[in-house]
Amino acid sequence: MDPVSHDLDSQNLESRPEKDPTADLETQLGAMQIGGGGDMLIDDYDVGDEKPDVAIITHDDPIHEPAKPMADDYDAMKERHLPMLPDLEVLHETINTWHIEDYRKLPKKARGPKFECGGHPWRILLFPHGNNVEYASLYLEQGHEEEDKPSEDWYACVQFMLVMWNKNDPSIYAHQSANHRFNTDESDWGFTRYAELRRMFSAPWDGSGRSMVENDAVNLTAYLRIYKDPTGVLWHKFINYNSKKETGMSLYFTNAFRKAIYLIPTENETQKKNSAWALQRLFYLLQTSEDAVSTQELTASFGWETKDIFLQQDVQELSRILMERMEARMKGTDAENALAKMFVGKMKTYISCINVDYESSKIEDFWDVQLNVRGNRNLDESFRDYIQVETLEGENKYFAEGHGLQDARKGVIFESFPQVLHLQLKRFEYDINRDAMMKINDRYEFPEVFDASPYLSENADRSEPYLYQLHGVLVHSGDLTAGHYYAFLKPAVNGHFYKFDDDKVTRATLKEALEENFGGEYANLVNGHAGIRNPYTRTLSTKRSMSAYMLVYIRKSREKDILVDVGEVDSPTHLARQLNEERAALEKRRKDREEAHLYLSISVVTERDFKAYQGFDLIDWGADSTAPPAPQTYRVLRASTVADFTKIVAESMQLPAEQVRLWVMVNRQNKTIRPDQPLPDLTMTVNEAYARYSNRDKPFRFWAESTTNLADGKPQWPNINPSPGISPPILIFIKYFNAEDQTLRGIGHIYMKRTSKVAEMIPSIQQLMGWSPGKDSISTSSVLSNGLPSPPNSTPGPPSMQLYEEIKQSMIEPMKAKSTLQQAEIQDGDIVCFQRLLSEKVTAAIASTGGYTDPREFYDYLQNRIIVRFSPKLATEREDDDFTLALSRKMSYDQFSAKVGEHLKVDPTHLRFTTVLASTGKPKQPVRRNQVTTLSQILMPTLGTYANSNQRSDALYYEILEMSLSELETKRNIRVNWLPEGVVREEPIDILAPKNGVIQDLIMPIQKRLNLSDEATSALRIYESHGCKVIKEFSANSVLVSIPDYATLYAEIIPEEEREAGDQDRAIYAFHFDKEPSKPHGVPFKFVVKPGELFKDTKERLSQRTGIKGKQFDKLKFALCQRSVYSRPTYLNDEDDICAMARSDDQLGLDHVNRTRLFPAKGDSIFIR
């Protein structure tokens, strides 16, 4: 086979489609992550257009190009055209020249003489007349022959150059260079379009006056340089790359954490919602699996759905969710507090007075430290910024209890650092100038060893040094809206860093883990270079888009404790057992698929299944065979005999094969499946029986008849093929409807003559039921009396009964006692149902509980039966709060509500139900109580209130209400936002108020909820806002009907200055807007303005009224705005008198950035802040 499969041309690297043509691109561009999507806001000086302006460069001295080297000056050629690659160590290098004298006589594929480099043979491979192109094709090839091929894992990282030159004039030459990882699969690499053939033989070559090939002679020189591979993946294509095999270990992090997770008991809680179980499985699979491991089970346990994979998730918030879940699961177990010991440190927030001996402080736990990147060059500067002391003085003095207003120092200091220190670098910040979130790509350095002791308080325990070793660098590549995470981890105390990039793990150098993730400018950019293309924007950037986002340091004195070895014995035994069972099942399914053509699936129903089944027909053929009663499915070799198969079925029935007879089941026109005839020939193969007795498009089914009637040890079967003139017996199945128990079950089968009357089945039924007929025989008329009492002098016997024929699911017909079975059209496999006749008193008692007294009604219930899952609308931790009930689709609201109330042991009138969204499993809309609406219409609507295809047809949420549903429907849920501190904080209060009520019906619940005094309640104000502007204020007697559903209500205590306002004072409504009055936001409010007051004094009162203080208040701009949406604001100065300037329709506007729009809701997804 031709080994030539890789090539490069003079413009770019080329290869065949199955190969990666950009072998050395990663090294050349500093290990960039290549991707796409999203736009990123970056500083103007970072961005260059794709077509930059021409840079005009002036020099004091003229530029002199270095002289062109001659092709036979090998050192000069190497220095000029094959410079050494930075940061790589050269192992071997060599130069070899192939002198060609008869170029045109060379074969189609020619190989030069072998030469040695790095202990291995190499040679030039030449296609003198082109490799299917009009160019000479030139390659470098490793020169091993078939008999001395290197081992499978051999490779060499080679930088090489191939030079073609005129043997008489070495100034005439062509050269091409490349980097390649040679191995046994890719043994050659080079240039398919090296030099155009017609130019090689014609003068001049590049204006030299001579041709490249003269007198059929030319020289080919190969320059080889073999580099040491520092990571094992230099110029690797990652085709069939096995991360675990190549790196030599199962690489993941913080082994002490893994051991603690393994201690959580989960053996009896193997559910997808169980995060601890999912994390244990993930760790164990990483520990034992040879393949990449999916995290789908873990993310599903957080409630994340498929759509969430398209959202960029915040790693810090993921970490916190994980820690909270694990801590909750560890309580009360051997692993309790294990996470806190590893990950929790303590910091003190303090305010210390300068002139008096007073300090207020609070010590809190922290799981991670968030450090500012902007304005800081490295980790130490960020920590100094973090613990920077703020002086409270002047107007900002601190009120110290017992000392009044005092100058004070405010700050944060660390009392202790955890064993594992997580540092989040704040790469994402809000930029007030751009009014947008920005990613900060500034250069920010962090050390391999970090000393945290300078940032500890004086009283901290320093018995161990606070030196930390870097073990993890989490990198974000991209921008705010789109990007990619990968990590550099150091799993061993004295080991190497490894790069974890999705399912690919590669060894990394220290430079790749640290320096290349500092961010900042790209190094070695040529003057005037527009920059490197950002993989997540459409622009060029001079700054790296990949930068460290989170750092993980481990205390050096605790490294061995944290990175302790974890083995098989440390993992829970049930994990291995469960996973082995899953793997065995997976392997079995794979084998079954491969051998499917050799086997036939056969379903078998037995009399035991028939007796256990409650429903129409002999069995539910679609039921799961693992949940009886259900047909048993056998996988049978097609070549085996019917006798062999009969033996298998008999063994499962614990009977000898002779006592089992198989009947072929057929599909009737009335859509029932019944026995038709027994298999006559046990010697035929299963495949022959299938071809003869089954419809090819239908499953092959049997009824296994068994008998205990033996004579001389041989089973006695009814003769279904009697002599001519004798009618064969009919096989009839019998079911019993028990009205008292509300059950319908099979009791067995009987054989009857066709000429027998319906009533003659009664003795056989009595025998099946174990009912004694009494001393004297009972007349047929008295047994089958359709409710008429037996004669007074008759012997007490079995109760009276009525017989019905089960014709099809919707046709259950009573049978006439005196008709023959032939007249009743009874045939093999038909089903007859019977019922004991009940007294009127018993019938009434059954009906009063919602039961069925007639088999036809019960069959109708079975036909419309549906299994509905009920779950609490408000999630609880109790698993038994989720339950299922078998209900009829025809049930009214009150009927199925009564069933649910009976299960929950609550008054059904206090239950409210909500439909379920099929796509998310979340509540859709409440179900209205209606006597006409059936359960089927609620669950499977086609028209009307609930009509929507996106709704589950087998599930409802329920709520247990404090009042009856009818009373609830007379009320209305109104949300009032309570404003305790101006407008900076709001607390929602949900109130159930009468639909026809008044505002006073809201005031009383608010007073009770907030525990307000009567005096405060008398000053309570409720007002309506729409579009973030005040619409109107309500009096206590305002009706609730006038409040639209979309309105926002606010409640507050009327400020004292408003209650005590003078006659000349005016009240004005105020609102917030962002640059334009047409973009309102925030909480509107009412404010008092005073005549003659300068606005600089008004602002002080505004600060008190709104609760906005300090720097935040200083950023506000104020304007008078007319109510018209399109009015222009009139901005106010400190010397203005707002009372004199404001017109009757003016409002006071507070202009500042709308921060709420920067963080749009994303449902349950995690958003980077």
Side-chain angles (χ1 to χ4, degrees):
M1 179 177 174
D2 185 356
V4 179
S5 57
H6 319 287
D7 46 64
L8 306 114
D9 65 12
S10 60
Q11 300 299 321
N12 49 44
L13 299 170
E14 271 190 1
S15 71
R16 296 188 180 179
E18 67 271 20
K19 304 296 182 182
D20 182 359
T22 55
D24 63 340
L25 189 58
E26 184 173 338
T27 301
Q28 303 255 355
L29 299 186
M32 284 181 60
Q33 290 292 312
I34 305 301
D39 291 329
M40 178 175 66
L41 293 170
I42 56 179
D43 293 335
D44 294 339
Y45 61 81
D46 294 336
V47 180
D49 294 328
E50 294 191 27
K51 296 181 179 179
D53 295 334
V54 176
I56 302 175
I57 304 173
T58 61
H59 296 271
D60 295 334
D61 300 317
I63 298 175
H64 296 285
E65 283 287 333
K68 179 181 177 181
M70 297 294 104
D72 57 356
D73 187 350
Y74 299 133
D75 290 338
M77 285 288 292
K78 184 169 60 173
E79 181 180 356
R80 175 73 178 275
H81 298 298
L82 196 69
M84 293 182 60
L85 299 176
D87 303 320
L88 292 176
E89 178 185 346
V90 177
L91 296 178
H92 310 278
E93 57 182 327
T94 192
I95 302 171
N96 181 266
T97 299
W98 176 16
H99 303 281
I100 300 175
E101 298 297 337
D102 298 307
Y103 189 93
R104 298 177 192 270
K105 295 181 180 179
L106 290 174
K108 182 179 179 181
K109 183 193 300 185
R111 288 181 169 88
K114 291 183 182 180
F115 56 94
E116 188 270 339
C117 185
H120 293 277
W122 303 88
R123 61 191 172 195
I124 297 173
L125 173 61
L126 171 65
F127 287 75
H129 310 294
N131 187 7
N132 299 316
V133 292
E134 296 298 322
Y135 289 78
S137 302
L138 198 57
Y139 307 90
L140 177 66
E141 180 184 58
Q142 58 102 340
H144 287 284
E145 301 297 342
E146 192 66 32
E147 60 273 7
D148 65 338
K149 287 182 65 175
S151 60
E152 288 291 327
D153 57 356
W154 173 84
Y155 71 91
C157 297
V158 181
Q159 179 192 25
F160 67 94
M161 177 171 66
L162 300 177
V163 181
M164 177 183 289
W165 52 287
N166 185 303
K167 65 178 298 183
N168 300 315
D169 185 352
S171 67
I172 299 175
Y173 59 85
H175 66 89
Q176 296 293 341
S177 60
N179 307 327
H180 183 61
R181 184 187 186 93
F182 286 84
N183 54 47
T184 53
D185 293 326
E186 296 181 344
S187 59
D188 54 76
W189 193 259
F191 314 93
T192 299
R193 293 174 174 83
Y194 183 86
E196 195 173 0
L197 290 172
R198 63 182 180 83
R199 293 182 58 228
M200 289 170 54
F201 294 92
S202 60
W205 175 271
D206 290 345
S208 62
R210 307 179 69 165
S211 63
M212 175 70 75
V213 181
E214 282 187 337
N215 301 322
D216 247 9
V218 72
N219 290 341
L220 298 177
T221 300
Y223 295 77
L224 268 74
R225 187 177 289 140
I226 299 178
Y227 286 96
K228 182 179 180 180
D229 184 359
T231 62
V233 291
L234 180 62
W235 305 327
H236 205 299
K237 300 285 200 323
F238 298 104
I239 299 171
N240 299 322
Y241 179 78
N242 185 318
S243 293
K244 191 169 182 179
K245 176 183 176 183
E246 298 297 333
T247 55
M249 64 183 78
S250 178
L251 296 176
Y252 51 114
F253 201 32
T254 320
N255 296 350
F257 174 69
R258 188 172 9 139
K259 290 190 77 169
I261 297 299
Y262 281 159
L263 292 175
I264 302 174
T266 60
E267 186 169 6
N268 300 320
E269 303 178 28
T270 53
Q271 298 179 358
K272 289 186 177 180
K273 294 181 180 178
N274 187 335
S275 299
W277 174 75
L279 188 57
Q280 283 182 348
R281 281 173 61 91
L282 178 65
F283 280 167
Y284 185 78
L285 285 170
L286 283 170
Q287 192 170 305
T288 59
S289 176
E290 295 296 330
D291 302 314
V293 180
S294 170
T295 59
Q296 186 174 356
E297 284 182 349
L298 181 63
T299 54
S301 72
F302 298 153
W304 292 356
E305 302 166 2
T306 305
K307 64 182 177 63
D308 294 314
I309 66 175
F310 301 106
L311 300 176
Q312 189 169 212
Q313 310 292 351
D314 180 13
V315 176
Q316 185 205 20
E317 196 162 348
L318 166 64
S319 175
R320 288 186 177 179
I321 289 176
L322 194 60
M323 294 298 183
E324 288 172 5
R325 296 276 182 96
M326 296 305 106
E327 271 221 306
R329 295 309 307 267
M330 287 178 175
K331 286 183 178 178
T333 71
D334 294 341
E336 188 169 3
N337 295 325
L339 299 188
K341 291 176 183 177
M342 274 186 280
F343 300 107
V344 173
K346 294 186 181 297
M347 67 170 65
K348 181 173 76 172
T349 305
Y350 65 89
I351 301 177
S352 178
C353 293
I354 297 173
N355 301 316
V356 298
D357 185 16
Y358 182 88
E359 181 178 286
S360 173
S361 64
K362 181 181 180 182
I363 296 179
E364 297 176 300
D365 292 342
F366 69 88
W367 289 81
D368 53 49
V369 183
Q370 299 184 47
L371 299 174
N372 289 325
V373 171
R374 186 179 293 280
N376 297 307
R377 293 174 299 175
N378 53 49
L379 200 59
D380 283 304
E381 288 190 8
S382 289
F383 265 97
R384 286 196 290 271
D385 175 61
Y386 195 91
I387 64 171
Q388 183 179 5
V389 177
E390 177 187 358
T391 302
L392 306 178
E393 57 187 359
E395 295 182 355
N396 202 25
K397 284 186 177 182
Y398 172 67
F399 182 82
E401 188 175 349
H403 300 281
L405 292 174
Q406 294 287 331
D407 293 340
R409 295 185 181 93
K410 179 182 178 182
V412 173
I413 194 71
F414 292 95
E415 294 293 326
S416 67
F417 287 102
Q419 299 176 33
V420 181
L421 178 60
H422 286 96
L423 303 178
Q424 188 204 0
L425 308 182
K426 294 167 71 173
R427 287 284 182 182
F428 299 94
E429 274 192 3
Y430 171 72
D431 189 317
I432 193 169
N433 295 319
R434 290 178 171 85
D435 185 17
M437 289 295 290
M438 298 265 297
K439 182 182 178 186
I440 302 169
N441 285 320
D442 296 345
R443 183 176 177 85
Y444 182 90
E445 299 179 5
F446 46 90
E448 187 180 4
V449 177
F450 169 63
D451 184 4
S453 58
Y455 316 109
L456 288 167
S457 69
E458 295 178 355
N459 301 323
D461 179 10
R462 299 172 186 262
S463 56
E464 290 182 44
Y466 279 91
L467 288 176
Y468 284 82
Q469 180 74 42
L470 183 66
H471 277 266
V473 181
L474 181 59
V475 182
H476 179 267
S477 175
D479 67 357
L480 176 70
T481 58
H484 178 61
Y485 286 109
Y486 53 94
F488 292 90
L489 302 180
K490 182 182 176 184
V493 175
N494 298 315
H496 303 281
F497 274 96
Y498 291 85
K499 181 180 179 182
F500 289 71
D501 191 354
D502 292 336
D503 61 349
K504 187 167 63 183
V505 180
T506 57
R507 184 174 157 185
T509 63
L510 192 61
K511 179 182 177 182
E512 289 174 328
L514 273 74
E515 186 177 336
E516 292 187 2
N517 299 308
F518 288 164
E521 303 281 344
Y522 282 107
N524 303 322
L525 283 183
V526 181
N527 189 12
H529 196 289
I532 303 298
R533 183 173 297 280
N534 190 312
Y536 292 96
T537 67
R538 294 186 178 91
T539 59
L540 301 173
S541 174
T542 60
K543 283 190 176 181
R544 297 175 182 272
S545 69
M546 68 286 292
S547 50
Y549 171 65
M550 183 177 279
L551 307 176
V552 182
Y553 283 92
I554 298 179
R555 197 170 180 178
K556 286 178 72 70
S557 57
R558 303 294 180 92
E559 275 185 301
K560 292 183 179 178
D561 297 331
I562 297 299
L563 301 178
V564 62
D565 290 337
V566 180
E568 184 78 19
V569 294
D570 297 303
S571 60
T573 55
H574 68 272
L575 286 180
R577 184 178 66 253
Q578 291 169 0
L579 289 168
N580 286 336
E581 290 171 355
E582 291 175 13
R583 288 166 182 157
L586 188 64
E587 176 61 23
K588 184 178 182 301
R589 287 196 295 271
R590 183 195 64 78
K591 188 176 180 181
D592 289 348
R593 285 194 301 269
E594 291 179 354
E595 300 177 351
H597 64 288
L598 301 175
Y599 290 84
L600 184 65
S601 291
I602 302 177
S603 298
V604 177
V605 61
T606 65
E607 191 143 310
R608 180 176 57 190
D609 300 325
F610 173 62
K611 290 179 179 179
Y613 172 62
Q614 176 167 276
F616 184 77
D617 220 333
L618 294 182
I619 200 72
D620 179 6
W621 292 99
D624 185 357
S625 60
T626 61
Q632 183 68 38
T633 300
Y634 296 88
R635 189 165 175 265
V636 187
L637 272 171
R638 292 175 178 266
S640 61
T641 64
V642 171
D644 296 332
F645 177 54
T646 304
K647 185 177 180 181
I648 294 172
V649 175
E651 287 176 356
S652 68
M653 298 170 66
Q654 298 180 346
L655 290 172
E658 295 80 12
Q659 292 178 228
V660 175
R661 181 166 67 170
L662 299 181
W663 286 64
V664 177
M665 306 289 284
V666 295
N667 294 67
R668 294 184 178 179
Q669 290 183 350
N670 60 3
K671 297 184 179 179
T672 62
I673 302 172
R674 302 290 170 81
D676 180 57
Q677 60 176 311
L679 284 176
D681 184 4
L682 299 183
T683 61
M684 72 172 71
T685 65
V686 170
N687 198 50
E688 291 172 342
Y690 176 66
R692 185 178 304 177
Y693 297 105
S694 173
N695 271 333
R696 291 305 179 95
D697 58 338
K698 303 292 183 183
F700 204 18
R701 301 183 176 117
F702 288 103
W703 173 58
E705 181 186 13
S706 60
T707 182
T708 56
N709 184 16
L710 305 176
D712 298 328
K714 294 183 179 181
Q716 301 297 302
W717 303 103
N719 187 3
I720 60 171
N721 296 310
S723 303
I726 299 177
S727 165
I730 304 172
L731 170 66
I732 303 174
F733 291 91
I734 307 297
K735 288 183 180 179
Y736 172 41
F737 171 59
N738 188 332
E740 291 95 331
D741 296 340
Q742 293 292 288
T743 58
L744 175 70
R745 301 196 184 278
I747 63 169
H749 68 281
I750 60 176
Y751 284 93
M752 299 293 295
K753 294 181 179 179
R754 295 181 186 274
T755 55
S756 300
K757 294 189 176 181
V758 170
E760 293 176 10
M761 289 192 291
I762 302 302
S764 297
I765 294 174
Q766 294 173 5
Q767 186 177 1
L768 288 174
M769 292 297 296
W771 292 339
S772 171
K775 294 181 181 178
D776 303 324
S777 60
I778 304 300
S779 66
T780 299
S781 61
S782 67
V783 175
L784 189 62
S785 60
N786 291 324
L788 294 175
S790 302
N793 59 352
S794 64
T795 304
S800 300
M801 62 180 72
Q802 172 70 54
L803 302 185
Y804 299 84
E805 182 187 359
E806 184 183 298
I807 300 173
K808 60 181 181 180
Q809 200 157 4
S810 58
M811 187 180 293
I812 312 298
E813 298 292 340
M815 301 179 71
K816 297 178 181 179
K818 296 182 179 179
S819 298
T820 65
L821 297 180
Q822 190 166 2
Q823 290 170 335
E825 298 183 351
I826 300 297
Q827 58 180 322
D828 279 326
D830 280 353
I831 298 174
V832 171
C833 170
F834 76 94
Q835 174 195 16
R836 293 173 54 190
L837 296 180
L838 308 173
S839 66
E840 292 182 1
K841 182 178 180 181
V842 174
T843 301
I846 294 172
S848 67
T849 61
Y852 302 97
T853 58
D854 188 291
R856 287 167 291 190
E857 295 175 351
F858 195 74
Y859 270 103
D860 182 71
Y861 156 71
L862 293 178
Q863 184 178 358
N864 292 282
R865 180 173 56 177
I866 181 174
I867 306 299
V868 182
R869 172 165 288 279
F870 292 90
S871 304
K873 189 174 181 180
L874 299 176
T876 65
E877 295 185 357
R878 292 177 49 191
E879 294 182 6
D880 56 353
D881 286 343
D882 283 39
F883 59 91
T884 57
L885 291 178
L887 304 172
S888 172
R889 292 182 177 88
K890 293 184 176 181
M891 280 184 169
S892 67
Y893 182 96
D894 285 348
Q895 286 175 326
F896 82 78
S897 179
K899 292 287 186 182
V900 177
E902 181 183 353
H903 178 89
L904 293 172
K905 297 180 174 56
V906 299
D907 187 343
T909 61
H910 285 56
L911 289 172
R912 179 166 65 174
F913 302 97
T914 304
T915 53
V916 182
L917 283 167
S919 56
T920 64
K922 294 179 180 178
K924 182 184 174 189
Q925 66 182 107
V927 177
R928 296 184 63 86
R929 182 173 176 269
N930 189 327
Q931 288 297 332
V932 179
T933 305
T934 64
L935 179 60
S936 176
Q937 292 170 326
I938 293 171
L939 292 174
M940 293 167 282
T942 53
L943 297 171
T945 307
Y946 312 103
N948 192 325
S949 59
N950 187 24
Q951 178 179 312
R952 284 189 60 176
S953 60
D954 62 348
L956 289 171
Y957 282 110
Y958 69 87
E959 299 170 84
I960 301 176
L961 307 174
E962 295 180 356
M963 61 187 74
S964 68
L965 185 59
S966 57
E967 182 183 356
L968 178 67
E969 289 178 346
T970 66
K971 296 184 179 295
R972 173 186 176 189
N973 184 63
I974 297 178
R975 170 165 290 186
V976 180
N977 296 291
W978 168 246
L979 303 174
E981 302 172 6
V983 298
V984 295
R985 188 161 64 92
E986 51 185 292
E987 300 173 2
I989 300 174
D990 290 317
I991 302 170
L992 274 177
K995 290 182 178 178
N996 298 322
V998 294
I999 289 294
Q1000 185 64 35
D1001 295 321
L1002 301 181
I1003 293 176
M1004 299 307 294
I1006 292 174
Q1007 180 185 15
K1008 183 178 179 181
R1009 188 82 59 90
L1010 300 176
N1011 198 22
L1012 299 177
S1013 65
D1014 291 340
E1015 181 182 358
T1017 305
S1018 65
L1020 189 68
R1021 169 168 58 204
I1022 297 178
Y1023 61 95
E1024 176 187 343
S1025 163
H1026 180 62
C1028 299
K1029 293 183 180 180
V1030 177
I1031 300 299
K1032 63 180 175 181
E1033 298 178 41
F1034 297 105
S1035 66
N1037 295 322
S1038 298
V1039 295
L1040 300 180
V1041 175
S1042 64
I1043 302 175
D1045 292 335
Y1046 56 79
T1048 303
L1049 299 186
Y1050 292 100
E1052 65 173 356
I1053 303 297
I1054 300 174
E1056 185 176 352
E1057 69 169 7
E1058 186 179 335
R1059 298 200 300 269
E1060 298 176 356
D1063 294 338
Q1064 300 300 318
D1065 295 343
R1066 289 178 55 189
I1068 188 172
Y1069 288 122
F1071 71 101
H1072 309 260
F1073 67 91
D1074 188 349
K1075 297 182 180 178
E1076 301 173 15
S1078 59
K1079 297 178 181 178
H1081 62 90
V1083 179
F1085 59 96
K1086 192 176 185 180
F1087 181 65
V1088 174
V1089 294
K1090 298 180 180 294
E1093 182 182 57
L1094 297 180
F1095 192 64
K1096 65 180 180 180
D1097 299 321
T1098 304
K1099 287 198 292 185
E1100 292 183 11
R1101 293 193 299 109
L1102 264 172
S1103 177
Q1104 294 178 353
R1105 174 70 177 91
T1106 60
I1108 306 173
K1109 302 181 185 301
K1111 294 179 181 179
Q1112 293 297 325
F1113 188 82
D1114 294 339
K1115 295 177 182 178
L1116 302 182
K1117 293 186 287 186
F1118 302 91
L1120 286 174
C1121 308
Q1122 287 184 290
R1123 282 189 175 272
S1124 171
V1125 176
Y1126 302 105
S1127 63
R1128 295 180 65 112
T1130 303
Y1131 284 92
L1132 299 170
N1133 298 315
D1134 285 350
E1135 304 303 319
D1136 288 337
D1137 179 355
I1138 185 174
C1139 190
M1141 295 174 60
R1143 292 163 293 192
S1144 59
D1145 63 340
D1146 277 352
Q1147 293 186 338
L1148 175 62
L1150 285 68
D1151 182 3
H1152 59 101
V1153 172
N1154 178 11
R1155 292 184 176 276
T1156 57
R1157 72 177 176 82
L1158 301 176
F1159 309 112
K1162 285 202 173 187
D1164 294 334
S1165 63
I1166 293 176
F1167 181 64
I1168 293 181
R1169 300 179 183 234

